[in-house]
Amino acid sequence: MFTEEQIKNALEKVIHPEKKENIISLGIVQQIESDDTGITITLLKEKASDPFFSSIKSNITKAIKDTLGSDAVVKEIRVIEKSKPAEEIRAVDDNLPGVKNIIAVASGKGGVGKSTIALNLAIGLSLKGYKTGLLDADIFGPSVPVMLDVKDFRPQVKNINGKDIIAPLEKYGIKVLSIGFFVEPDSAVVWRGPMASNFLKQMLSMTDWGNLDYLIIDLPPGTSDIHLTLVQEVAVTGAIIVSTPQEVALADAVKGIAMFRNEKINVPVIGIVENMSWFTPAELPSNRYYIFGKEGCRALSEKMNVPLLGQIPLVQSIREGCDTGRPVVLDSNNPASEAFLALAEKVVEKVSERNKNIKPTERVKIN
Ligand SMILES: Nc1ncnc2c1ncn2[C@@H]1O[C@H](COP(=O)(O)OP(=O)(O)OP(=O)(O)O)[C@@H](O)[C@H]1O
Ligand SMILES: [Mg+2]
């Protein structure tokens, strides 16, 4: 197995034929992974087609072999199209001035896949070249430590100029903070509302996110004090509502949309994501079984006049990705990964439309 440093050194020998610079310093190499089975490299490509990518790919394979020896196997070179930069529109008086867009992921009903979507969306945005953070704000059942296999991670708190600062975890290209990093797995549930809200406030004010294009916030289910604390503490650019196509979930999704649209809260709803749209078994990849009903979220999106951002299938590999700490969006040969990348693209497009057409969100002020 090779280290990231060794692989980087090899990749520095690959020169872009037109730009005459190596692909590491050009920032084309987005991600390097190496395990016992080989090396996987993810490249970022500008939207306008770059005719040199196929020669870059073969030069990578050659440079790896030449530098690291014939044992070095390039398992895969994945190319992801780079999107345009996210624009800046948030109000200047806000907390988190380095964050351009704050996106809350919510649902009416529990267990519909908020955390799964929030995490794969965050990594998808990062794969597309955006600086992205993920805050797991589910005080009562944080899932991100398990979904990223970082259960034992404890963030460092540093005192800088008299202020305590928390450094987030960095994994798979995103910055991550979870309430689960601070509490023992079973203790969070006994917290009372005000304690949980205070904790969220502290996490929002103390974390060093640096500059981010998108901060994704994974919320607890329903409409809780945590939601209210969030919109008081920061100006949320927009909310994404997750639902399954099933009637009971849709009814609750309506409540979630209504909460953000409430005139006192006034956070634009960027769109709905339908999760578990159909079941597809791995051995029958073109079959779709509409277990929870068909197109329920499309109907809801038309009724509530909210865009449908994507439909994510119910597949075993998504569940496995959650349990093993390697989110499925990272696996290029998995169709579910394409679904999450398409979702990321749509989110970028809709957030950008929102920023052009609607004035910046204001924080909710409680008198
Ligand atoms: N599209 C999918 N295919 C397969 N499994 C999925 C899919 N989406 C979510 N799951 C699985 O369903 C379970 C619930 O998902 P998740 O934890 O993301 O829901 P949630 O809405 O965040 O739940 P909570 O309301 O408790 O926060 C998880 O075990 C996850 O692995
Ligand atoms: Mg969750």
Side-chain angles (χ1 to χ4, degrees), residues 114-115 138 143 218:
K114 281 176 301 303
S115 303
D138 190 346
S143 351
D218 179 17

Side-chain angles (χ1 to χ4, degrees), residues 333-350:
N333 39 21
N334 190 317
S337 168
E338 291 309 318
F340 282 118
L341 286 177
L343 172 65
E345 188 73 29
K346 201 75 184 171
V347 167
V348 169
E349 179 194 318
K350 291 296 168 193

Side-chain angles (χ1 to χ4, degrees), residues 119-246:
L119 179 59
N120 282 285
L121 169 63
I123 297 174
L125 287 166
S126 156
L127 286 170
K128 286 193 160 277
Y130 296 106
K131 293 198 199 75
T132 308
L134 175 70
L135 174 63
D136 174 7
D138 190 346
I139 310 260
F140 306 104
S143 351
V144 169
V146 171
M147 290 185 175
L148 283 175
D149 191 21
V150 286
K151 290 175 282 293
D152 298 325
F153 176 78
R154 294 287 172 267
Q156 298 223 325
V157 181
K158 282 191 203 139
N159 192 288
I160 296 171
N161 301 330
K163 194 173 181 280
D164 284 337
I165 300 289
I166 307 170
L169 169 83
E170 294 195 29
K171 190 159 185 182
Y172 302 132
I174 60 171
K175 291 188 177 170
V176 184
L177 198 68
S178 167
I179 291 194
F181 294 159
F182 298 92
V183 290
E184 292 307 317
D186 300 320
S187 68
V189 282
V190 302
W191 286 17
R192 290 195 297 138
M195 283 168 76
S197 290
N198 277 333
F199 203 86
L200 176 62
K201 275 187 205 170
Q202 282 185 10
M203 292 217 311
L204 284 167
S205 67
M206 289 168 62
T207 309
D208 177 18
W209 293 106
N211 291 321
L212 293 181
D213 293 310
Y214 299 96
L215 175 61
I216 308 293
I217 304 198
D218 179 17
L219 285 165
T223 51
S224 69
D225 281 0
I226 292 297
H227 296 69
L228 291 177
T229 304
L230 177 68
V231 294
Q232 285 168 47
E233 290 303 302
V234 292
V236 176
T237 310
I240 292 176
I241 306 291
V242 179
S243 180
T244 66
Q246 193 179 6

Side-chain angles (χ1 to χ4, degrees), residues 58-91:
S58 47
N59 289 343
I60 286 177
T61 313
K62 186 170 180 308
I64 297 267
K65 291 259 183 235
D66 289 352
T67 316
L68 303 176
S70 54
D71 284 354
V73 180
V74 178
K75 222 171 30 177
E76 192 187 350
I77 301 173
R78 183 182 198 187
V79 180
I80 290 184
E81 287 206 336
K82 188 173 170 177
S83 307
K84 60 181 177 9
E87 59 283 89
E88 182 107 42
I89 63 118
R90 291 181 56 239

